[in-house]
Amino acid sequence: MIGPLLMRIRFAAAIWTLVPASFAASPAMAEIGPPAELAVVSTAIQSPFPANTPSAFIRSAPVQIIPESEAEPLESNSPTHNGLKSGADWPLRDSDEMAQQLRATLDALGVAPDLLDQAAENFLVGVQRDDIEPLNAWVDAASEQFDVLSELMSRLNGDLLTTARAMDPSGPDYALVESMPNELRAALRTWIGRELARARYYDEALPIFAEVDPMVCPDPATLLFYRGACYHAQLKVKDALSDLRRLLQRKDEIPARYARTAEMMVADIKPLKKDSLDEISRLMSDVTRRLDLGRADEATQEREQEVIDKLTKLIDKIEEEQQKQQQQQEQQQNASGNGGQSDGQASPMDDSRIAGASGQGDADRKKIDDQNGWGNLPPAERQESLQQISRDLPTHYREAIEAYFRKLATQK
């Protein structure tokens, strides 16, 4: 009984001794900051106590504090500072940081130091002077110093789709790409996925993008934007929102075209509902895209069948709702009819229904005599009246009217 209890006490004591350092270094404490006029001294300062000092004694020692005016802020270009400032969970590297990452990657491949300097300089010149996209400049500078990458880029520029398919897990170039350093592999996959997405090959781009980590990629903004765009085009709502929202964590720092387009894609796909007419329309657009690219394969046929199934389901649902509404209307009409008979009050007949009354429809013929001179006109006035009546009528109507009046005159 004493043994487990003693272990729990020792564990609690060990945790207690770790509380000041771990809590002070936590992101929550860093964002809250020290109290007014005070700042906690960095835990990186060497402890004044000997190494064998009991932890309980150290815990009871007062915390060293200094006035806030004498505290030194974090370096503005440090990754920790940038992360705390924006609240993003991925780093946004400037050109200098990308150049340093390029040097480290080529150094891991055994490139000579003078060539490392040359590659970094070529990258910076391409970005800052020639206004080349950072990802393009990074991959070009790396391929100049790494023959394997140079040969692969040459094949990609010649036949992008075929070379990209060769990088699948079952493809011949998969092992070659996987043997590269993490940063180089991430940059290469991001470059290929971006080019595929620009050519609307979303199906082929997603497997290339899927294994790339934004924390390792030299240009994570490009990765998150184009991968999110592919998920958006493929109606993968959760994955699209995940990447696009991560990208927008730094919407004030990333290129404006990325931020604006990402916001529109989020607003576009967020309200999308399954089996809705909107989803069916998007699926039809995807089938059109595949056919435009010359795709009539099994995947396209499955997409077409999915459209047909969803349309059939939607039509059946609409017909079922209409049938229910019709039944409800009939029930209401029957209820109103029964109610009118029970209380002896008649209700107006609906225009849309045939009356239920029965009968022959015969009526007594009205006998009209000449006591009031009805229909008796002098011949001249009668002829004038006939002309007025039949003036604007076609010829055969005029003849019919005249025949009618002649018959009346004969009967008299």
Side-chain angles (χ1 to χ4, degrees):
M1 183 70 179
I2 298 178
L5 179 61
L6 182 61
M7 291 179 63
R8 293 174 62 186
I9 294 175
R10 287 178 177 176
F11 179 77
I15 294 297
W16 178 250
T17 60
L18 294 176
V19 166
S22 61
F23 182 72
S26 65
M29 184 62 182
E31 288 197 17
I32 296 172
E37 304 298 333
L38 297 176
V40 180
V41 176
S42 172
T43 56
I45 298 178
Q46 183 177 2
S47 174
F49 301 101
N52 58 354
T53 302
S55 59
F57 178 78
I58 297 175
R59 179 66 185 88
S60 62
V63 178
Q64 290 181 317
I65 58 176
I66 59 176
E68 185 179 11
S69 59
E70 300 180 10
E72 296 183 358
L74 293 172
E75 294 294 334
S76 60
N77 59 352
S78 65
T80 304
H81 177 78
N82 293 338
L84 295 177
K85 181 179 179 181
S86 64
D89 59 0
W90 56 276
L92 184 64
R93 300 180 178 87
D94 57 21
S95 56
D96 292 331
E97 291 172 335
M98 292 182 69
Q100 294 176 4
Q101 190 181 38
L102 175 62
R103 287 178 57 89
T105 301
L106 295 178
D107 184 50
L109 293 171
V111 177
D114 57 334
L115 297 179
L116 295 179
D117 296 336
Q118 180 181 349
E121 181 180 359
N122 292 341
F123 166 75
L124 292 174
V125 168
V127 173
Q128 298 174 359
R129 189 192 70 183
D130 300 335
D131 199 23
I132 300 176
E133 291 186 70
L135 182 61
N136 289 356
W138 202 96
V139 174
D140 291 342
S143 62
E144 291 175 357
Q145 308 300 332
F146 188 39
D147 294 337
V148 175
L149 178 61
S150 177
E151 189 272 336
L152 187 58
M153 290 298 297
S154 178
R155 285 195 286 139
L156 286 167
N157 290 323
D159 190 347
L160 174 66
L161 191 57
T162 302
T163 308
R165 287 172 175 170
M167 295 173 56
D168 291 339
S170 59
D173 292 334
Y174 181 78
L176 176 66
V177 175
E178 290 300 307
S179 65
M180 297 179 181
N182 292 338
E183 294 79 5
L184 184 58
R185 183 171 65 251
L188 177 61
R189 287 187 174 275
T190 302
W191 186 91
I192 296 173
R194 183 196 64 184
E195 296 303 309
L196 289 171
R198 287 176 174 177
R200 300 195 301 163
Y201 289 112
Y202 307 123
D203 305 84
E204 288 78 11
L206 283 177
I208 299 293
F209 277 137
E211 301 180 12
V212 182
D213 184 3
M215 300 298 294
V216 179
C217 181
D219 191 359
T222 297
L223 166 67
L224 293 174
F225 176 79
Y226 282 98
R227 189 168 68 184
C230 289
Y231 284 133
H232 177 274
Q234 293 294 294
L235 305 185
K236 299 180 183 296
V237 179
K238 292 183 179 180
D239 295 327
L241 292 177
S242 176
D243 273 352
L244 294 175
R245 283 171 174 168
R246 289 186 70 186
L247 177 68
L248 291 174
Q249 290 173 353
R250 295 184 178 273
K251 65 178 181 179
D252 296 330
E253 305 167 79
I254 60 177
R257 66 184 188 277
Y258 284 178
R260 300 297 178 266
T261 309
E263 288 176 340
M264 288 189 293
M265 285 192 289
V266 169
D268 176 67
I269 200 170
K270 184 179 178 180
L272 183 64
K273 295 182 179 179
K274 187 176 179 60
D275 295 333
S276 64
L277 192 60
D278 185 17
E279 184 192 39
I280 296 173
S281 176
R282 294 168 189 258
L283 291 173
M284 290 179 176
S285 298
D286 185 59
V287 172
T288 302
R289 175 190 67 86
R290 293 169 182 268
L291 296 177
D292 289 342
L293 296 173
R295 302 278 180 86
D297 52 6
E298 183 177 354
T300 303
Q301 296 175 9
E302 291 178 356
R303 204 67 150 177
E304 292 173 338
Q305 186 61 44
E306 183 179 3
V307 171
I308 295 173
D309 294 341
K310 288 181 177 293
L311 278 174
T312 303
K313 183 178 180 180
L314 182 61
I315 293 173
D316 292 342
K317 181 179 179 181
I318 294 174
E319 291 179 346
E320 182 179 355
E321 292 177 353
Q322 291 179 344
Q323 186 176 5
K324 288 181 178 179
Q325 291 178 356
Q326 185 177 0
Q327 291 176 353
Q328 291 176 356
Q329 291 177 356
E330 292 177 354
Q331 291 175 357
Q332 292 175 357
Q333 292 169 359
N334 294 333
S336 62
N338 295 332
Q341 293 178 359
S342 61
D343 58 10
Q345 297 179 358
S347 59
M349 180 64 66
D350 295 333
D351 294 338
S352 59
R353 286 197 298 131
I354 300 176
S358 59
Q360 299 296 328
D362 297 335
D364 296 337
R365 194 172 184 83
K366 183 68 175 178
K367 295 182 179 180
I368 301 176
D369 52 19
D370 296 339
Q371 77 178 45
N372 293 326
W374 173 258
N376 296 328
L377 289 175
E381 293 182 4
R382 180 184 302 177
Q383 186 65 27
E384 184 180 357
S385 299
L386 289 175
Q387 291 178 356
Q388 290 292 333
I389 293 174
S390 60
R391 181 179 58 185
D392 297 328
L393 297 176
T395 304
H396 62 278
Y397 285 120
R398 188 183 305 118
E399 295 176 352
I401 293 173
E402 293 176 353
Y404 171 74
F405 282 105
R406 282 197 299 269
K407 183 177 181 181
L408 287 179
T410 304
Q411 290 178 352
K412 289 180 181 181

